[in-house]
Amino acid sequence: MNNENSFPLAALPGLGPKSAQWLAQVGIITEQQLRKLGPVRAFLLLERGCSVKPSLNFLYAMVGALEERHWQDVALHDKARLLMELESYREMDQFFE
């Protein structure tokens, strides 16, 4: 990956200092880390380990930040896919607990 993917998360459009702070609580501090993990898995980590329970809008914002899209566009066009992916990860997690 190139250096542009190592920027701090707060530098990404749609993610600000608070979003970056929440992600840092679960060990995600760069765009590269978020890309590698993926927004859905990052969202699950936030649900388990962040001091603030994330909303689905935060999931959409992470996707939008990585794809250079507005979170509302992501929510409108990708909501069903993201919710299905989120549910699949939750089911896998239950299987391995």
Side-chain angles (χ1 to χ4, degrees):
M1 292 197 172
N2 57 32
N3 282 342
E4 72 185 46
N5 289 338
S6 64
F7 285 128
L9 292 170
L12 294 175
L15 295 182
K18 283 189 180 189
S19 299
Q21 182 181 30
W22 296 338
L23 287 162
Q25 288 181 26
V26 295
I28 303 167
I29 58 171
T30 66
E31 178 183 354
Q32 183 177 14
Q33 290 172 317
L34 181 58
R35 281 189 189 282
K36 185 175 181 178
L37 187 61
V40 173
R41 289 173 56 203
F43 184 83
L44 289 170
L45 285 176
L46 288 165
E47 282 187 327
R48 293 185 197 114
C50 184
S51 61
V52 176
K53 183 172 170 58
S55 70
L56 287 174
N57 290 344
F58 192 53
L59 172 60
Y60 307 144
M62 288 188 288
V63 172
L66 295 176
E67 296 179 3
E68 298 182 12
R69 297 167 52 201
H70 193 278
W71 71 268
Q72 290 175 327
D73 179 63
V74 173
L76 182 64
H77 294 102
D78 300 295
K79 181 178 183 176
R81 175 187 61 82
L82 290 167
L83 291 177
M84 286 176 28
E85 189 176 341
L86 186 60
E87 185 58 29
S88 293
Y89 275 112
R90 285 180 176 149
E91 288 175 5
M92 284 191 308
D93 285 349
Q94 289 178 351
F95 179 76
F96 290 107
E97 287 181 348

